[in-house]
Amino acid sequence: MAGKGPHCSFVLLAEFDIDSGAQLTYQFPQPLGTDEGLLANLMLPDGAERHLEDWTIFFLNQTPFNTIAPVLALETEPSDNQSNGEDDRPELLYVLNLVRTKHDKSVRRGAVVKAMAICTRHPFIQIFKPVLLLALDDYFANPSQECLTRLFDAINSMNISAAPALTRCEKLIMRASERKDIFAEKFTHIPPLPLKAAHKTTGSNGSHSSEDGVLISARARSTTATSDHNPTHPSSPSDSSFSLGGSAVWVNDDSVIIDSQVGVAIGAGPGSIGGASVSGSSVLTSRGRRSTDTSSNSSHAYSGGAIPTSSDPHLRSGISKDTHFFQTSIAYKGHTLPIKLPLATFPEEVGEYSLIQLIQTFSSPLITISGPLHPHLHTNGILTHPIIILFNALVTGKRILFLGHNIPAGQVANYVLSACALGSGCGAVLRGFIERSFPYAGLAGEDWVSTPAYIAGVTNPIFETSGPWDLLMDIGTGRVVVHKDIHVSFPTTMAPPALVNPMMPRPIKAENSTGSEDDIQRIATRDGKDGNQKSEFAAKQDSLDNMFIEDLISAITSHFGETLVRMRFTEYVARFVRLASRYEELVVGTTKLGCGSAPFLDGSLGSGIVFPDEAVAFKELAANASRIEGWRRSKSYQYCVQDFKKYRATAAIQGFDLSHQLLKLRLVKNLPDAEVELIVRSIADNLRTYEQIVELLACMPPHAGGLQPLSFCLFHHQESIREATVGIFNELRQNPVGVIFLQALNHFQRYAYVRQAHARESRMKDLSHGLAPPPHLVSRTPSNRSEVSLGGM
């Protein structure tokens, strides 16, 4: 993760002079080679003197007017754009700026305003805030270039060489998991645990504390977690693994797992398998405490983000307390500042943004939406939610202005960064938003207004009346304004004729085709009930987008965290892309965004987006046709095409649409037995390497049920399906991250896996010796299909 190049490329210092205005005083280690007046005004935002302290964020190397040209070339690594085969443009630099006002009656105007900024190639710029605070304090006390030199050297001395570099799938798994020991095996710098440091718990028969157990577990698992484990010798549960004596062994659900002992007893502590004794419904666990199988809550509740109280969720001393972060430090003038470096950040996620704050600000009942309706923005007519209007504007390339009059520039910048994350699916689905965003933009250097589809934050209200924008989001008042001339900037004119889908009774017309808006909105009405509506834009209170936002608001009201909100938006944007792929296939005849849509037919798996039925598919496609057409003209669409092409070439699981199969198991009821069998067998046959396991788990986030769609196949009436599912779970058990996902299953599901895996191994042993398996080891499941619902709904 350390990469090539310094953590800090430049340190800047700006001051406000009452006679000459904002001045760039220092540039270290060399001049940037760009407009110094522009930099000074970005560092000293409008109204900075009204706030004692403010943080602002801006970027360099975005456009020609803010591209730097230092005398000495910077040592950098290829950017994401370059790695995707795009033009060799300079690497984007993220600038974190701290401006401070100190009142002093001895100076003119009674205050001193100074700002210090660092330019870095890391998007997680928030980790540098503590050292920047110290450095600016140092400069106020001793104003000299030595302060900038010390800051530059301190940041670049930060050691992150041992930080694990995660793949995209690993990042998706980590950000969706609340477990603080996720991917603990990747922290290879684990120091030896001295015996004298081993902490013992009191009153637990001398057992190790949970921290010691996790440490032992991490070491044991790290020796077995390889990127390519041996597929020809998958380990099977040993006999000792199944000395259960009943399901009560599942009560002890500490995160202590040693591969040589665990078998498939997921979550059991060392010795709990063989040593658990059953007495009625109570069992003595390996920690010496009694628990009841029916009343204990040993399963890790991923959906709620719960951590079991029976064990310390943190890791041991000497390693990161939370593996979502890499623990390091920065030393500045005798102070050692702890740094928590986030490991699951994507380039489109900059700083400490908050989707919850964005949603709450523009979901108040007092919110007003004004301006003309436009098909790209108002996908549900006048009832389109402001957040959906914002998302539509982001993906269709509209010019968006966040206005925060009398609000600190740092807060305005956070709204801009939150909007970029919202449009990109929290960086996991789309890209191209950060490169056209200006978190803080002022009156000086207004070249940013000429940037197509800009996303800017301003504090001066003059931009509302004089600036060219398409959508205005007023942070202070909650107003959402669509520009009155938006139809001039984005006219609705003629387009190619629509194509007819042979699977559907009516054609879907591309946006802007003759009569397309009327047709789309008329068709989208529910069974013709709104046929007499005169408005061009039909609106439904129970539209999918409205229900999605209502669910998010309900989750926020119920105090669910930022993680869940981000995951839901990631799913929302991913579904939008798959929906656009289906639309593109129908209108154009082929798609560059995803796998072509196909049903399960003649022993071939289906692909594409999953709908309950074709009628629902047609209505949803018709309702989204306008914004899809708008998105197809944007640069974000071009990036998505490039990314999908790269994904198809590098995916670990090839040959079928994995997401489609998992969605079928998760959402569709009464699947044909042949399709279920082919799905689980295809997954089992393509689950041999660590990369394939991680790719599968990345498609099964905990908040969406995790492994539950697959676990229901353990209760299918067809033995071949049960056998294939056991094979999948056996492969997952070989990796620590797979064990964590298995731990999230409930007692009933895990015991079903244990019993069937044991029966499977016993049959194999008996067959190798020419013996018939004992009757009590034969896998039993309901024979009546009506007793089991594959969809789990």
Side-chain angles (χ1 to χ4, degrees):
M1 184 169 180
K4 184 180 179 182
H7 304 308
C8 178
S9 300
F10 299 95
V11 180
L12 309 176
L13 195 284
E15 299 176 281
F16 184 82
D17 184 88
I18 192 171
D19 297 318
S20 53
Q23 298 293 316
L24 190 63
T25 308
Y26 294 113
Q27 305 176 67
F28 187 84
Q30 59 174 320
L32 276 70
T34 189
D35 186 353
E36 294 185 1
L38 170 65
L39 294 176
N41 281 282
L42 288 173
M43 294 175 64
L44 298 169
D46 297 335
E49 68 281 357
R50 293 194 295 267
H51 309 285
L52 295 179
E53 186 175 281
D54 196 5
W55 296 89
T56 59
I57 297 170
F58 58 94
F59 307 132
L60 297 176
N61 291 336
Q62 281 178 292
T63 59
F65 70 85
N66 68 9
T67 297
I68 64 174
V71 177
L72 300 177
L74 298 179
E75 184 183 19
T76 61
E77 59 184 355
S79 66
D80 291 338
N81 294 337
Q82 295 170 359
S83 64
N84 285 321
E86 297 168 26
D87 54 327
D88 294 333
R89 52 186 172 186
E91 183 179 23
L92 189 69
L93 288 180
Y94 309 91
V95 184
L96 176 66
N97 176 64
L98 171 61
V99 55
R100 181 173 295 166
T101 301
K102 284 197 173 183
H103 296 285
D104 186 352
K105 295 182 179 180
S106 63
V107 300
R108 296 167 64 187
R109 296 190 66 178
V112 177
V113 183
K114 301 179 186 294
M116 185 178 289
I118 60 169
C119 308
T120 177
R121 56 190 176 85
H122 298 306
F124 37 82
I125 54 179
Q126 69 274 11
I127 68 173
F128 301 116
K129 283 187 174 182
V131 69
L132 192 54
L133 280 167
L134 288 181
L136 189 54
D137 282 339
D138 188 19
Y139 186 84
F140 267 99
N142 180 27
S144 67
Q145 187 171 330
E146 293 180 0
C147 298
L148 281 71
T149 304
R150 281 193 293 267
L151 176 61
F152 183 85
D153 293 338
I155 293 178
N156 286 321
S157 65
M158 180 179 67
N159 183 12
I160 61 171
S161 58
L166 302 183
T167 65
R168 178 182 180 275
C169 290
E170 288 172 338
K171 287 182 179 181
L172 292 176
I173 292 174
M174 174 174 282
R175 65 200 292 132
S177 174
E178 297 287 345
R179 286 283 296 263
K180 294 188 177 182
D181 59 346
I182 190 77
F183 291 120
E185 67 279 1
K186 289 188 172 292
F187 288 76
T188 57
H189 62 293
I190 299 177
L193 178 66
L195 293 178
K196 64 180 181 180
H199 174 69
K200 304 288 185 178
T201 58
T202 58
S204 58
N205 294 340
S207 64
H208 290 282
S209 71
S210 60
E211 291 188 2
D212 301 337
V214 175
L215 175 61
I216 298 171
S217 166
R219 287 181 182 155
R221 286 180 284 169
S222 64
T223 60
T224 61
T226 60
S227 63
D228 217 344
H229 65 273
N230 189 351
T232 59
H233 297 86
S235 65
S236 300
S238 61
D239 286 339
S240 62
S241 302
F242 295 99
S243 301
L244 299 175
S247 64
V249 70
W250 302 116
V251 171
N252 184 25
D253 197 13
D254 294 328
S255 300
V256 184
I257 306 164
I258 299 180
D259 284 356
S260 61
Q261 298 179 5
V262 69
V264 289
I266 307 302
S272 64
I273 297 174
S277 60
V278 179
S279 176
S281 61
S282 178
V283 353
L284 183 64
T285 70
S286 64
R287 285 179 170 261
R289 60 176 179 269
R290 290 195 172 273
S291 183
T292 305
D293 185 64
T294 57
S295 61
S296 67
N297 183 22
S298 62
S299 180
H300 292 285
Y302 269 77
S303 58
I307 300 294
T309 57
S310 60
S311 64
D312 191 340
H314 291 169
L315 298 185
R316 53 275 162 220
S317 176
I319 300 182
S320 174
K321 292 292 185 180
D322 184 351
T323 53
H324 291 77
F325 302 92
F326 176 76
Q327 300 268 2
T328 184
S329 63
I330 293 178
Y332 183 83
K333 290 193 69 175
H335 300 280
T336 300
L337 305 174
I339 302 296
K340 294 176 63 176
L341 188 148
L343 298 177
T345 299
F346 288 105
E348 293 288 323
E349 298 178 291
V350 179
E352 296 176 296
Y353 69 91
S354 172
L355 293 185
I356 290 181
Q357 182 186 47
L358 179 67
I359 294 171
Q360 289 179 328
T361 301
F362 294 101
S363 297
S364 168
L366 301 178
I367 290 292
T368 60
I369 304 176
S370 59
L373 300 184
H374 193 280
H376 290 176
L377 304 180
H378 300 83
T379 48
N380 191 35
I382 60 174
L383 295 181
T384 307
H385 194 277
I387 295 297
I388 299 300
I389 293 177
L390 174 61
F391 172 77
N392 294 341
L394 288 164
V395 296
T396 57
K398 304 299 182 288
R399 295 167 297 183
I400 304 172
L401 199 65
F402 282 88
L403 173 62
H405 184 46
N406 290 329
I407 295 177
Q411 294 184 23
V412 178
N414 284 335
Y415 279 93
V416 174
L417 298 175
S418 299
C420 293
L422 182 146
S424 66
C426 299
V429 185
L430 300 177
R431 61 187 176 94
F433 299 93
I434 287 296
E435 68 182 32
R436 55 186 172 95
S437 70
F438 303 88
Y440 170 73
L443 288 171
E446 291 186 50
D447 293 337
W448 58 269
V449 299
S450 62
T451 302
Y454 68 74
I455 311 162
V458 298
T459 58
N460 196 323
I462 194 174
F463 286 102
E464 180 177 358
T465 56
S466 63
W469 48 267
D470 301 311
L471 180 67
L472 176 72
M473 311 288 289
D474 192 329
I475 300 171
T477 64
R479 291 183 304 128
V480 177
V481 184
V482 178
H483 200 280
K484 61 183 179 62
D485 296 328
I486 190 170
H487 284 279
V488 176
S489 303
F490 298 90
T492 54
T493 56
M494 297 289 291
L499 299 181
V500 178
N501 176 21
M503 298 289 295
M504 296 182 179
R506 292 168 292 184
I508 293 181
K509 293 188 177 182
E511 183 262 327
N512 294 338
S513 60
T514 305
S516 61
E517 303 301 338
D518 292 335
D519 290 343
I520 288 173
Q521 298 302 334
R522 183 173 61 254
I523 293 170
T525 55
R526 186 181 299 275
D527 298 327
K529 294 179 181 179
D530 298 331
N532 296 325
Q533 186 171 347
K534 299 299 183 181
S535 174
E536 180 184 4
F537 295 87
K540 295 185 295 182
Q541 191 68 42
D542 60 345
S543 68
L544 292 178
D545 285 344
N546 281 6
M547 290 190 291
F548 169 71
I549 295 297
E550 288 174 3
D551 287 345
L552 286 181
I553 295 175
S554 176
I556 294 171
T557 305
S558 301
H559 304 290
F560 282 87
E562 180 78 12
T563 298
L564 176 66
V565 176
R566 293 184 183 185
M567 292 302 101
R568 290 296 305 276
F569 260 107
T570 300
E571 285 185 345
Y572 180 84
V573 179
R575 178 170 176 80
F576 168 75
V577 173
R578 294 178 74 88
L579 190 68
S581 175
R582 177 69 176 273
Y583 171 86
E584 190 176 59
E585 190 177 12
L586 295 177
V587 174
V588 182
T590 183
T591 178
K592 301 177 182 178
L593 295 172
C595 300
S597 297
F600 172 76
L601 187 65
D602 297 332
S604 297
L605 289 173
S607 59
I609 192 171
V610 176
F611 294 104
D613 54 60
E614 288 298 330
V616 173
F618 183 81
K619 289 183 179 180
E620 190 171 355
L621 286 168
N624 286 272
S626 294
R627 67 174 174 182
I628 292 175
E629 276 293 337
W631 178 56
R632 292 180 68 234
R633 304 168 191 172
S634 69
K635 199 168 185 178
S636 173
Y637 169 83
Q638 299 174 13
Y639 286 150
C640 188
V641 171
Q642 296 172 5
D643 293 342
F644 177 72
K645 183 178 179 181
K646 180 180 178 181
Y647 166 76
R648 288 292 296 269
T650 60
I653 298 178
Q654 297 279 352
F656 63 96
D657 187 350
L658 177 62
S659 296
H660 177 91
Q661 317 313 325
L662 297 176
L663 286 172
K664 277 292 192 73
L665 293 178
R666 176 182 164 189
L667 301 176
V668 180
K669 298 181 180 180
N670 302 320
L671 281 176
D673 292 347
E675 184 174 6
V676 176
E677 181 177 9
L678 187 56
I679 289 174
V680 293
R681 286 201 175 278
S682 297
I683 295 175
D685 294 341
N686 288 274
L687 212 61
R688 294 293 181 267
T689 66
Y690 170 78
E691 288 77 14
Q692 290 172 330
I693 289 175
V694 169
E695 187 170 316
L696 171 66
L697 297 179
C699 296
M700 309 187 75
H703 70 275
L707 293 176
Q708 284 198 15
L710 281 174
S711 71
F712 290 118
C713 295
L714 292 169
F715 309 101
H716 198 277
H717 69 95
Q718 193 165 310
E719 183 178 2
S720 59
I721 294 176
R722 301 195 303 270
E723 286 288 313
T725 306
V726 171
I728 292 173
F729 283 9
N730 280 344
E731 289 294 334
L732 295 179
R733 192 175 54 85
Q734 308 309 311
N735 290 272
V737 65
V739 170
I740 288 177
F741 271 70
L742 288 170
Q743 284 180 328
L745 297 175
N746 61 39
H747 297 284
F748 186 66
Q749 293 162 336
R750 288 187 293 181
Y751 185 70
Y753 165 48
V754 168
R755 180 174 54 79
Q756 294 183 43
H758 179 46
R760 176 183 181 179
E761 181 190 9
S762 298
R763 289 197 303 271
M764 293 174 62
K765 287 185 177 180
D766 292 337
L767 289 175
S768 65
H769 293 84
L771 301 175
H776 71 281
L777 292 181
V778 177
S779 177
R780 300 185 181 92
T781 57
S783 58
N784 185 355
R785 184 175 182 179
S786 63
E787 298 180 30
V788 178
S789 173
L790 255 183
M793 301 298 176

